[in-house]
Amino acid sequence: MKEILSGADLHHFAESLIQEVNTLGEAQEIISRAVSFVADKLHIGRVLVMLDTPPSVFDLKGTKETRVVYAGFRGYDAEPIERRFSLVNNGSLQLAWYPIKGHSWSDDEKRYLEIVMDYIYLKGLGVRVGELLSRSAFVDSMTGANNTQKLMQYGTMLERSRRLPEFVALFENIKNFRYINRFYGDRNGDYILKELVRTIYFSLSAEELIVRLGGDNFVVLVKKQNLDAHLELLSNLKIRLQHAGLEQDVEIQMRCGIYHPAPGDQVGDLLMCSSAALQYAKHMVGEQIVYFKPSMLEYSIRAKEVSVLFPKAINEREFEAFYQPKVDLKTGALCGAEALVRWRRGGIIVPPGDFVPILEQEGTICTLDYYMLDLICRDINRWRRDGLEPVPISVNFSKLHLHESNFAERILSIIDENSVNHSDIEVELTEESGYEDFAALSEFIDTMNANGVATSIDDFGTGYSSLNIVKNLHTNVIKLDKSFLDNIRTEKEQESDVTLICAVIKLVKDLGMEVLAEGIELPAQVEFLREQGCNKAQGYFFDKPLNEIEYRKRLLGKRIYSL
Ligand code: C2E
Ligand code: MG
Ligand code: MG
């Protein structure tokens, strides 16, 4: 082979490629310089590099680009020599070499070109691998979203350049993802996460970020001016998947806590404040989107404390039942009581509002509910042993139990293990909106009916409750929520309130169920409810929730309230 490039030329060329570069853009510069060392001797007019890498978790958009890495001033001929090399992840790197105008390459020149191309390919491959490797350190390998390291790195960079306040931080979480996973299966669950990331990722600008923290928890950093568009996207998310042989659109509801960074904030503040707002969003029924307020931090600290203390508190039996009497509105007779949990913590009685929603969010409420049922059964036995005839006690159960396969069996077995009559216990549940939950609720109620345990639908008149759903449930009692009756016979009373309550009472009774009004505080409310034929009532007007010692006195007494 005729020597066109000397050993020194090749050495010079190769050495100029040995430089550390991190991106293909940087690689382009050094390749361009290296080619210029050999261009004259090889009569090279122009060199194009075409990179084509399909989308992957490391590069969700994929890359398709053509760059001119060398262009001599003597023009080039139309016919190039092309070579295609494979890259990692099914990608390819294609090189096109054009001779200078009017030149056609000899075989020897072509052989040298091959050598030069091999070097360039190896350089390109090395840079690409390096690029993917460095990206993989910052990418969640399941979805291709960024990971926490990236958030920290990018956030710190923004923090140092005082640019954090240009962004808004959103802590996002898929509502009911646990149940979506259970219903559609884990594989579809994974698919939903991947599609969700892709959808959000493609809506973001180059400066914005979606980060998966793990599970279905994400942090999104968007520019302030893009917040509305992002929320609009979240409000309308549907993911199409195959389930049970059918293509289905799954509606995804995102809950998010939003934080507008203040000057001087650090990345950690973004996480802390947006997650505090998300926690708040989870506990406020119907609120999917909550903007951070400083008071939310206290709440999140308390939530942490509750979840840490809970296991020990259960073990050490720190939870007690208070009993709130229910009164028959016809006779004034004590006709039942609702058991309401209280947490005795070092001499302080903590009300359920301070811990039930937190345990509900964690799912640990289910443990507490069974614990309470057992405790109540023991109280009932003690009253019997002491010669007191108990009245039925209703026990609150979280709607989370509806997702347990053995909910009904566990209730029955706790009652039976304590040898308590089935008719001494009533189960209170709040109505659920989704059809899946409705089916579970309905089946549960039927099992309870078949076993002689009464059920009631709690908090009717709040949230999603509808008579249309209730009419298909064979429950015994509908409990009208306090808020439903608050305005009755007060200066705020409106005719529409009265009409609605009268209609509900009539309908519920026509459907063969009893109506109990909760939170009754005023004599006028009692009078109104009696006129309307409401069966029972419960509220401070009669009694507050009483500890066991006080409640015992009611069982011992005349058991009649004046109406
Ligand atoms: P709920 O089941 O709707 O219970 C009624 C709540 O209204 C009770 O609050 C009761 O003390 C309160 N209340 C009763 N009469 C009046 C009144 O005249 N005026 C006013 N302002 N309030 C009245 P409490 O005990 O704080 O319980 C709050 C909620 O916590 C309960 O609402 C229930 O959803 C939940 N809860 C309580 N115990 C348990 C439990 O063991 N398990 C579960 N899962 N939830 C529970
Ligand atoms: Mg209740
Ligand atoms: Mg209630």
Side-chain angles (χ1 to χ4, degrees), residues 75-140:
Y76 61 93
D77 223 60
E79 278 300 302
I81 296 184
E82 288 182 331
R83 249 182 94 181
R84 192 179 171 281
F85 300 93
S86 305
L87 285 180
V88 275
N89 287 340
N90 300 325
S92 70
L93 177 80
Q94 203 166 332
L95 299 171
W97 298 74
Y98 297 79
I100 53 169
K101 202 152 188 71
H103 183 78
S104 88
W105 278 314
S106 67
D107 285 349
D108 283 337
E109 282 174 329
K110 283 183 186 164
R111 261 177 237 128
Y112 275 100
L113 277 173
E114 296 278 312
I115 297 171
V116 166
M117 277 194 251
D118 281 348
Y119 272 108
I120 290 176
Y121 160 64
L122 287 174
K123 183 70 192 174
L125 179 67
V127 172
R128 180 72 185 160
V129 168
E131 214 180 34
L132 291 182
L133 262 178
S134 65
R135 267 192 220 180
S136 72
F138 292 111
V139 161
D140 164 52

Side-chain angles (χ1 to χ4, degrees), residues 338-340 394-396 428-430 456 458-459 479 518 538:
E338 175 175 7
L340 293 154
S394 63
V395 188
N396 290 282
E428 281 193 22
L429 279 162
T430 46
S456 52
D458 202 357
D459 304 335
K479 295 188 81 173
E518 271 194 294
Q538 174 186 345

Side-chain angles (χ1 to χ4, degrees), residues 320 322 324 338-342 351-357 360 365-366 368-369 372-373 376 395-399 401 428 430 458-459 479 481-482 486 518-522 525 538-545:
E320 303 181 359
F322 272 41
Q324 185 174 39
E338 175 175 7
L340 293 154
V341 64
R342 298 291 182 265
D354 287 0
F355 60 88
V356 165
E360 199 140 44
I365 188 68
C366 297
L368 179 65
D369 287 342
M372 289 300 290
L373 175 61
I376 290 150
V395 188
N396 290 282
F397 278 88
S398 159
K399 57 190 180 241
H401 291 279
E428 281 193 22
T430 46
D458 202 357
D459 304 335
K479 295 188 81 173
D481 191 68
K482 177 175 183 302
D486 271 347
E518 271 194 294
I520 299 309
E521 294 178 347
L522 307 168
Q525 289 175 316
Q538 174 186 345
Y540 295 173
F541 175 79
F542 304 107
D543 257 325
K544 290 198 168 175

Side-chain angles (χ1 to χ4, degrees), residues 323-394:
Y323 296 94
Q324 185 174 39
K326 297 177 186 172
V327 175
D328 184 320
L329 284 178
K330 251 194 199 140
T331 60
L334 169 73
C335 62
E338 175 175 7
L340 293 154
V341 64
R342 298 291 182 265
W343 184 353
R344 187 182 289 278
R345 263 184 75 190
I348 298 168
I349 302 266
V350 187
D354 287 0
F355 60 88
V356 165
I358 295 166
L359 300 179
E360 199 140 44
Q361 189 200 331
E362 294 196 322
T364 37
I365 188 68
C366 297
T367 311
L368 179 65
D369 287 342
Y370 291 125
Y371 169 97
M372 289 300 290
L373 175 61
D374 181 66
L375 186 152
I376 290 150
C377 288
R378 293 176 194 213
D379 277 353
I380 292 175
N381 279 333
R382 216 146 12 91
W383 297 327
R384 277 236 151 81
R385 264 202 312 274
D386 296 346
L388 298 168
E389 181 59 27
V391 287
I393 303 291
S394 63

Side-chain angles (χ1 to χ4, degrees), residues 8-26:
D9 288 333
L10 274 175
H11 183 75
H12 196 186
F13 168 77
E15 205 164 44
S16 65
L17 284 174
I18 306 172
Q19 258 186 58
E20 195 170 314
V21 291
N22 297 315
T23 64
L24 284 168
E26 290 169 13

